[in-house]
Amino acid sequence: MIFSSAKIPAQPAEQAPDGSEVRPLLSLAGGSMAHFRLAAGAASKAVCHRSVDELWFIVAGRGEMWRRQGEREEVIALEPGLCLSIPAGTHFQFRAGGSEDLAAVAVTMPPWPGAHEAVFVTGPSVSRCGITSWARSARQPSTRLPVPASPGAAHARHAGTATAILGRATADRPARR
């Protein structure tokens, strides 16, 4: 394999199963890299990956990400400079703040195998995370939701800053890309 270089494409190449825009960058045998963007005020679909691990680096915007592994669950504030991991099997969902798009560069290991990789799951709930649910149906387009004025408030597991459940997805139905 020879080395290569790439710039972030001006237009997205596709939409990820979670609803975010994808701009693929480079790929090697051990992993691939892409730029992801979610519009201001939008929430992704809650998904988990069957076999790939991901590392995300937030490059622009603010928002929140919910992650769950078994009984461990958290909502973390997203801001430029934050790096986070999403191991295979982790349920996750994210949303962008209301005033600017959220953008991240992510490394997927091994490389993204295709749309069958993502599975829709049920998103966060009041009883488990201490926040009003922002799960939404896998069939609905990205939905604009209210976001707290302070992204750090999400880390403290605030209540009542998002809208009620908009829908649920089936945990064993593969996502479409």
Side-chain angles (χ1 to χ4, degrees), residues 112-177:
W112 182 255
H116 65 280
E117 174 63 23
V119 176
F120 293 116
V121 297
T122 300
S125 67
V126 174
S127 62
R128 300 202 51 148
C129 273
I131 65 167
T132 302
S133 178
W134 32 287
R136 61 188 193 83
S137 169
R139 294 183 184 142
Q140 296 174 343
S142 293
T143 305
R144 298 192 182 276
L145 299 174
V147 175
S150 167
H155 196 66
R157 292 192 164 98
H158 55 81
T161 60
T163 59
I165 297 173
L166 296 172
R168 296 204 183 270
T170 305
D172 56 3
R173 184 179 66 230
R176 288 188 216 147
R177 197 171 248 216

Side-chain angles (χ1 to χ4, degrees), residues 44-77:
S44 72
K45 297 169 190 156
V47 297
C48 76
H49 295 152
R50 296 175 191 268
S51 63
V52 299
D53 298 317
E54 288 188 332
L55 294 173
W56 286 33
F57 183 74
I58 307 303
V59 295
R62 295 186 183 279
E64 297 172 308
M65 180 177 285
W66 164 80
R67 293 178 289 180
R68 185 180 77 197
Q69 291 176 319
E71 294 301 312
R72 182 174 180 217
E73 186 168 16
E74 74 173 6
V75 175
I76 186 169

Side-chain angles (χ1 to χ4, degrees), residues 72-94:
R72 182 174 180 217
E73 186 168 16
E74 74 173 6
V75 175
I76 186 169
L78 302 176
E79 62 186 15
L82 178 74
C83 187
L84 59 103
S85 66
I86 305 173
T90 300
H91 294 201
F92 70 99
Q93 183 177 18
F94 57 102

